[in-house]
Amino acid sequence: MRRADREVNNIQKIEEIIQTCDCCHLGLIDEDKPYIVPLNFGYQYEDGHLILYFHSAKSGRKIDALQENSAVAFEMDCAHRLIEAENPCQYGYAFASIIGNGDALLVENREEKKKALSLLMKHQTGKDFTFDNQMADAVAVFRIDVSEFCTKRHE
């Protein structure tokens, strides 16, 4: 990382950033072309291992691309604020971000799908929801097992 002074290594601060972000931009390869899609997400972060969960229609460009190539990149950012200055060259922008890579996997197990949907709703709304079999069967759920990521903050 070029700006090591902005790197976040503290696990609690990393999780605070993840909790603050509400949209994850997922980078896929679709027929040898990059494809980026913004998605709401849920997550699980335990023992330094990050898993991101997403829901989707059961068919479409995103699902086709994931089935063709499971390697993905992701980016999420939050805490945006313009930093003003007297001189235009000294203006800046405050942010917090997480950028990483991983492998996407369609979740087939119904119980894991229900857990993933509950995590997604908890992250997006702050509320606990439960899902029955019919709800879980109505959507596709996929997860990203994150292999590497870096977190930055500029305040």
Side-chain angles (χ1 to χ4, degrees):
M1 179 177 299
R2 187 181 66 81
R3 293 293 306 260
D5 60 315
R6 295 184 181 169
E7 185 172 14
V8 178
N9 292 312
N10 179 287
I11 291 172
Q12 290 174 323
K13 293 196 182 298
I14 291 170
E15 193 154 6
E16 286 173 14
I17 292 170
I18 295 170
Q19 289 173 355
T20 304
C21 294
D22 59 4
C23 181
C24 182
H25 299 92
L26 188 60
L28 313 162
I29 299 298
D30 180 27
E31 297 181 7
D32 298 327
K33 296 180 197 159
Y35 174 52
I36 300 172
V37 60
L39 298 165
N40 296 114
F41 68 99
Y43 72 96
Q44 182 175 313
Y45 189 53
E46 293 177 358
D47 301 322
H49 183 69
L50 178 60
I51 299 172
L52 301 173
Y53 288 102
F54 306 89
H55 78 295
S56 172
K58 291 184 171 187
S59 63
R61 183 177 181 187
K62 176 174 58 246
I63 295 297
D64 291 345
L66 288 171
Q67 289 175 329
E68 188 69 29
N69 186 342
S70 66
V72 297
F74 69 90
E75 182 275 346
M76 57 183 87
D77 56 86
C78 56
H80 308 119
R81 181 179 52 83
L82 182 65
I83 300 169
E84 296 186 34
E86 293 292 320
N87 179 329
C89 293
Q90 293 174 332
Y91 267 67
Y93 203 70
F95 67 92
S97 68
I98 298 177
I99 297 172
N101 300 296
D103 288 307
L105 171 70
L106 282 170
V107 176
E108 302 293 344
N109 178 284
R110 186 183 279 155
E111 293 308 310
E112 186 180 1
K113 281 179 82 171
K114 290 193 260 186
K115 174 186 168 187
L117 292 167
S118 294
L119 288 170
L120 193 148
M121 289 303 294
K122 178 72 170 184
H123 179 67
Q124 296 301 314
T125 69
K127 298 177 186 176
D128 292 314
F129 289 91
T130 56
F131 292 82
D132 62 29
N133 291 343
Q134 184 178 5
M135 293 170 165
D137 292 344
V139 297
V141 171
F142 63 97
R143 64 187 267 174
I144 296 174
D145 292 320
V146 176
S147 55
E148 62 181 357
F149 69 92
C150 62
T151 308
K152 288 173 66 173
R153 174 177 274 151
H154 177 50
E155 297 181 285

